[in-house]
Amino acid sequence: MLIATDADEVFDEVDAALAGPDTTVARVHAGDVVRAAVQEVDPDMVVLDLQIGNMGGMATCMDLRLEEGADRLPPQRVLMLLDRPADTFLARRSGADGWLIKPIDALRLRRATDEILAGGTYTETPTTA
C-alpha cells in the first residue's frame, strides 16, 4: 500500500487502519513523487489525499492513469481521500477507483480498500440536508 499525503494525521489514520502482518503502508509526502514510488514499491493500492503539497490527488491520479495508458506503468488501484462532498466530481474525473470523504474512519477505510482490491469500486456520494 502506498499513501501520498503531507498530513501526519491522515497517514496515522490510514496506517492504523490498514497496516498489519500482510500489509505495509509506505508513504510519500508529495504528488510528484508518486509515479516513482509506484515503480519502486509496486503497491497493491495507492491512497491519494486530495491536497498533497505541490501536486494534488486529482493531478496525481490523472498522471498515473496517463502512464498506464501509455504502458509505462501497470494498472493501479487508486483510492482518493476527499475534503468535502463536492470533491466527488474531481475524484470521478480523475479516474479514481474509489473515494472517501473526510473525516475517515477505520471501518469505512477497510471497506473501501477491500472493495477496490477485489477489483470493484467504492464511492461515497454527497448527501443533501
Side-chain angles (χ1 to χ4, degrees):
M1 183 93 39
L2 174 68
I3 180 168
T5 183
D6 56 5
D8 291 338
E9 63 275 2
V10 171
F11 172 74
D12 291 343
E13 288 179 73
V14 171
D15 188 53
L18 302 179
D22 298 326
T23 305
T24 302
V25 179
R27 178 185 184 185
V28 295
H29 292 82
D32 65 347
V33 297
V34 169
R35 186 185 328 150
V38 163
Q39 291 172 324
E40 181 180 327
V41 175
D42 189 26
D44 292 331
M45 188 170 75
V46 178
V47 179
L48 300 173
D49 200 355
L50 184 62
Q51 303 295 326
I52 319 169
N54 64 346
M55 185 175 169
M58 180 182 176
T60 303
C61 186
M62 292 176 76
D63 180 60
L64 291 175
R65 296 302 187 225
L66 289 170
E67 292 299 302
E68 290 170 14
D71 291 326
R72 291 187 290 258
L73 276 182
Q76 300 298 308
R77 294 178 178 106
V78 178
L79 173 67
M80 288 185 66
L81 305 177
L82 307 178
D83 295 328
R84 57 200 177 105
D87 295 330
T88 59
F89 173 79
L90 299 174
R92 185 174 288 110
R93 296 285 288 184
S94 70
D97 297 298
W99 54 82
L100 293 171
I101 301 167
K102 294 183 224 167
I104 58 175
D105 62 69
L107 180 64
R108 289 173 36 239
L109 186 56
R110 283 193 295 269
R111 187 177 305 138
T113 300
D114 290 345
E115 287 291 325
I116 293 170
L117 289 176
T121 61
Y122 185 92
T123 61
E124 294 182 333
T125 56
T127 57
T128 56

